[in-house]
Amino acid sequence: ALPKRRRTRFTRLIVIGGVVAVALWLAAPWVAARLTQVHINDARIAANVVTVSSEVAGRVTAIPVLVGDSLEKGDLVAAIDRAYAQSQLDAVLSRITATEAQLAELRAGKVLLDKQLSARRDAAHAGIAAAEANHEASLAVLANARARHERAIKLANQKITSQQTLDESQAALDTAAQQERAAFAAIESARASLAIVEADGEQMNVLESQIASVLAGRAGIEAERSLKEIDLAHRTITTQFDGIVDGTFV
């Protein structure tokens, strides 16, 4: 009878060992999943598991949630130190403010220069018009003086007029000729003034180039500000959906 009991015990051990082996084989995937993945409520409900993590590096300042907490969309999960990121954003904002001030100064200078050039240009054109009118008048005086002098010469040759009259007509002719030359020189001077105004107009091109350069720089700073704002926003981690906290890892 004793050998029969031993055979029965041995058979039971074999059966128990087989059951344990099958159980281990069936439980292996579950154990592996528990060791490598995060599950909600020990997988006793069907749910999507999402790992919420930070997109930026930094010192964690708060984790106001505990395992098992129920969360709604928008709830705070964790906070990362914002001091450095905020200082970086403030520096960029200061640069934008300085750029805006520079742009305002350049644009104001452009408006002022445009007004000045316009006034000087109008004055130069008016000066040219006045000089040309004066020259026309001097030409008429010169023509009259020349005609009188030619008549005086004829009369002097005919012994009809005196030498004094001839000398006076010559002096009048010389004066008229001098005035005509002065009037013509005034035209040239007025035209030179206009040329100077037009040359100074190149300053407008310089200002426009400077404004374009500052605008290009501002675009780069604006892009940098967007990145800094995104970095700062990522330092506050919130849920994008309702759920239950399964675990926290820092």
Side-chain angles (χ1 to χ4, degrees):
L2 183 59
K4 184 176 180 180
R5 290 180 179 176
R6 288 180 179 177
R7 285 197 301 271
T8 302
R9 183 178 300 174
F10 181 72
T11 302
R12 289 179 180 175
L13 290 176
I14 292 175
V15 173
I16 293 172
V19 172
V20 171
V22 172
L24 289 176
W25 179 75
L26 293 175
W30 181 85
V31 172
R34 291 297 296 175
L35 293 176
T36 59
Q37 302 178 15
V38 177
H39 293 262
I40 294 179
N41 203 21
D42 295 331
R44 285 192 293 269
I45 60 173
N48 294 322
V49 179
V50 177
T51 300
V52 179
S53 61
S54 171
E55 297 185 36
V56 297
R59 181 175 61 86
V60 177
T61 58
I63 303 180
V65 296
L66 298 173
V67 175
D69 285 352
S70 295
L71 300 178
E72 295 181 354
K73 180 179 179 180
D75 285 349
L76 179 66
V77 174
I80 299 175
D81 183 50
R82 298 164 56 91
Y84 179 74
Q86 185 66 59
S87 66
Q88 292 290 303
L89 177 59
D90 291 343
V92 173
L93 292 176
S94 296
R95 288 167 57 196
I96 291 176
T97 300
T99 301
E100 292 295 340
Q102 185 180 8
L103 275 175
E105 182 179 358
L106 288 172
R107 285 168 173 164
K110 180 182 176 183
V111 171
L112 178 60
L113 179 61
D114 184 61
K115 290 181 178 179
Q116 292 175 343
L117 290 174
S118 180
R120 290 173 58 193
R121 190 177 291 110
D122 291 343
H125 282 297
I128 291 174
E132 289 175 343
N134 187 45
H135 183 247
E136 289 294 328
S138 70
L139 287 175
V141 172
L142 177 61
N144 183 48
R146 184 177 290 115
R148 292 179 61 185
H149 182 60
E150 290 175 353
R151 185 166 57 252
I153 291 175
K154 291 179 180 179
L155 292 174
N157 289 335
Q158 296 174 5
K159 306 298 182 178
I160 298 176
T161 187
S162 64
Q163 184 63 38
Q164 181 180 356
T165 301
L166 180 60
D167 292 341
E168 290 175 351
S169 66
Q170 180 64 57
L173 177 60
D174 293 341
T175 300
Q178 184 178 3
Q179 290 175 346
E180 185 276 331
R181 290 192 294 271
F184 183 78
I187 293 176
E188 295 300 314
S189 178
R191 288 174 177 170
S193 296
L194 179 60
I196 292 174
V197 173
E198 297 300 341
D200 290 344
E202 290 298 319
Q203 297 179 22
M204 290 291 291
N205 295 331
V206 174
L207 283 174
E208 289 174 355
S209 177
Q210 291 176 342
I211 290 173
S213 177
V214 174
L215 285 173
R218 185 181 68 175
I221 299 174
E222 290 286 356
E224 187 177 353
R225 179 180 71 172
S226 297
L227 292 176
K228 297 299 182 183
E229 289 176 341
I230 292 173
D231 178 82
L232 189 62
H234 283 167
R235 293 176 183 275
T236 300
I237 305 172
T238 59
T239 59
Q240 302 302 311
F241 41 78
D242 298 345
I244 300 174
V245 179
D246 180 75
T248 59
F249 309 93
V250 179

